[in-house]
Amino acid sequence: MRLFRTIQLAFKSLLLHKLRSGLTMLGIVFGVFSVIAMLAIGEGASQQAQQQVLSLGATNIIIRSVKPPDDPAASQSSSGGRGGSVQRYGLTRADYKILEETIPNLTGSGLVPVRELNLEARRLGQVTSSRIVGCTADYLEMNHLAIAAGRFISDRDNFDMANTAVLAYGTAMSLFPIDNPIGQSIQIKGRAYRVVGVTQERTASAAVGGSLSGQDFNKDIYIPLSTLQSLLNSGDVFSRILPGSFSAESVIYNQITLQVSSIDVVERTAEVVRETLERTHDKKNDYDVVVPLELLRQAEQLRNIFNIVLGSVAGISLLVGGIGIMNIMLATVTERTREIGIRRALGARQRDIVNQFITETIALSGTGGLIGMAMGLSTPYVFAGGKWILKEFILDSSAAGSEMGKMFLGMEPVIAVWSLPVAFGFSVVTGLVFGVYPARAAAKLDPIEALRHT
Amino acid sequence: MKYAARLINLRKHYQLGDHEVQALRGVSLDIPEGDFLAIMGSSGSGKSTMLNLLGALDRPTSGQYLLRDRDVSEMTDDELSEARNSLIGFIFQSFNLIQQYTVLENIEVPLLYRSGTTSISAADRQKCLLLADRVGLTERLDHRPFQLSGGQQQRVAIARALVNDPTIILADEPTGNLDSATGEEIMRILTELHDEGRTIIMVTHEADVAANANRQIIMKDGVIASEGILPGNKRVRA
């Protein structure tokens, strides 16, 4: 009851100077707001990273073929001055075999090899450039794709080298804008393929580091791996004629995905894989092992660093707000010396004066904290609004596609629930800490001098 | 005879730079209950120092100040606060109301600092309303000091001084900032309080104001120069 009264009277004193109290409060408002907003941005980014990593499969180990940097010695020896070169690199059948035989802890799906090509697909008048993915039946599950209609590539298709194709949602939309693609045929490099299924739409995954750049699963066409390999000239060589030069590269598999039986053995197994490939590839840098679980760990570490950095920046703004409060409270004490004298004459102890001024300071900073919290809660909406304005009025599509634009448009702040009480608590503590000195200064005034003060 | 306050050889010295200022040089004074005492004197006479000591705002250098039965001379700061709160009612020349509070809230201020009690009860509130009525401010309970005339403000201060039923009422130039008509009004209230049996000590330099008291002392150079009933005294207590 007494506390309630004290707080009520504190607000009365603060309301006496509305503008001053409001301005003083702003420091805390923005401090708390920025703490919550910063942490929300960090939390959003880390959740996105986690989702992306998890969509790669936490129990997966992904080995990708990487085109080694052009080594002059190597290219000379292979080109031989015949006007063209065939660059051989990446994962081979031997790799596949040795991995299949030696790596422990694999699940039933085991190893899923993939060969990818970027080619045009045609159907009647429609042409679209797609990523042709030669794969096996297990590809679907390992990449967390889902079938929207029909079926996926089956083991039987691979055995038969069947000319079947499964379209990703985006491809299906551009090749078959109106009619149902199932059962129809499309053409790739002059060969016809029967469409047997369509996968569900899926948002593109952003780059997660290593060689695994962002993947847009929506422009894929899946065909049996065996069919794709038979399509390539002389086995595995894919040739491309560019103006003024001829180049060909030979890659057996672009990617082999291993799925292990449990999360606990992922890192151990990945180590074995690395050692094995190091031996067979003789330290040639033509492959890369990506372990989503490791990326997840890295992402978590990164988030912690991110949170600490952003949190401290926001914390500094709280500190500055606190100093602002102290400054104003000191001025208030001077200005209200007479009032302090009156209260002391009427029986207020030093303790009562200290309590009064600390209560006022906390009321000020706490109110600021509440307002800041409300503003912080609106962060996601503010962001959504900002993005909308950016898209609609300010940026044309090319600017929105720039790195900065992408970064901003890609931000999805998520309020970290714990940040609300923490930020509010900080605002109260700020009031307490920065209120103590002015309050003690007020209490220490000599009542006689204070009463005489004009 | 019961005493509201007793001063026994009270001295107060200040250190001002190198030399010592003897503001009070041995003052002895008995103030019986129900007394209405006026303290007069020119500036520098020790009048203000005397007022500060009487108001328990300060401690004497030597000597004793007994307020009711309690020795104020040796009190700690907290005890002095408690004594001011429960034993003394202040009325100041410049009213000294708290600007952000309403009339009613101003009257309640001493209640906030009572020892032992934690809140303002309904009975307390009733008492404040009675006091406001007593000084004729029932219509203005929600007004803030700047909305009141000087006389009204001083009446709020009187109500505030009475709220804790003090042993003595200490009035420092209560009419100093008021015109003579309003001043007379305030003096009438003080006289009424005296008639009810309250002990009043008033500091003033105006003889005709001091004449309202039933006893006057005149301070000079830190001692009581003369004491007695001045000519023109209207009231003599039986």
Side-chain angles (χ1 to χ4, degrees), chain B residues 154-165:
Chain B
Q154 195 60 300
R155 283 189 272 155
V156 177
I158 292 173
R160 181 177 68 181
L162 293 172
V163 77
N164 268 349
D165 280 320

Side-chain angles (χ1 to χ4, degrees), chain A residues 172-408:
Chain A
M173 285 309 284
S174 49
L175 288 181
F176 298 90
I178 309 163
D179 42 346
N180 183 358
I182 307 282
Q184 311 239 34
S185 75
I186 57 168
Q187 286 195 328
I188 303 166
K189 265 204 145 186
R191 279 212 241 177
Y193 295 80
R194 188 165 55 87
V195 177
V196 294
V198 176
T199 60
Q200 277 176 13
E201 189 172 15
R202 174 165 157 180
T203 48
S205 68
V208 285
S211 64
L212 206 60
S213 52
Q215 292 191 48
D216 184 359
F217 286 97
N218 280 329
K219 295 183 87 178
D220 287 353
I221 295 175
Y222 307 102
I223 66 173
L225 178 63
S226 56
T227 313
L228 182 81
Q229 281 167 340
S230 76
L231 172 79
L232 297 168
N233 302 335
S234 59
D236 307 313
V237 182
F238 174 62
S239 57
R240 189 170 14 198
I241 298 159
L242 295 168
S245 82
F246 167 84
S247 83
E249 49 184 46
S250 168
V251 180
I252 312 282
Y253 302 124
N254 288 85
Q255 179 176 323
I256 297 174
T257 308
L258 286 76
Q259 193 171 46
V260 299
S261 49
S262 86
I263 284 190
D264 303 331
V265 296
V266 170
E267 277 155 332
R268 220 182 312 146
T269 312
E271 212 36 58
V272 179
V273 169
R274 283 193 178 108
E275 277 169 21
T276 309
L277 290 176
E278 213 163 277
R279 242 178 297 128
T280 58
H281 280 249
D282 199 21
K283 295 191 176 151
K284 259 186 355 191
N285 269 334
D286 59 350
Y287 67 93
D288 190 18
V289 180
V290 177
V291 186
L293 192 68
E294 287 176 1
L295 294 177
L296 188 64
R297 297 257 157 85
Q298 285 168 11
E300 268 164 14
Q301 263 178 5
L302 198 68
R303 171 182 63 165
N304 286 342
I305 295 170
F306 208 56
N307 274 354
I308 289 169
V309 171
L310 289 184
S312 357
V313 169
I316 287 170
S317 63
L318 255 184
L319 185 77
V320 171
I323 294 170
I325 283 198
M326 180 152 86
N327 194 9
I328 289 296
M329 288 313 285
L330 280 173
T332 303
V333 166
T334 310
E335 188 190 81
R336 286 163 68 185
T337 300
R338 182 68 164 271
E339 178 194 327
I340 294 162
I342 298 170
R343 289 178 187 272
R344 294 280 277 140
L346 297 180
R349 295 162 299 176
Q350 293 196 349
R351 210 180 317 157
D352 295 315
I353 301 294
V354 167
N355 286 346
Q356 180 198 338
F357 277 90
I358 286 189
T359 309
E360 277 184 31
T361 318
I362 291 179
L364 199 62
S365 69
T367 308
L370 282 178
I371 296 172
M373 225 162 83
M375 281 169 66
L377 277 174
S378 71
T379 308
Y381 307 102
V382 171
F383 256 80
K387 282 187 212 170
W388 183 77
I389 291 170
L390 201 67
K391 270 195 254 181
E392 293 288 313
F393 300 111
I394 301 173
L395 294 180
D396 51 39
S397 54
S398 67
S402 72
E403 282 305 308
M404 278 297 289
K406 262 188 200 158
M407 205 177 86
F408 180 70

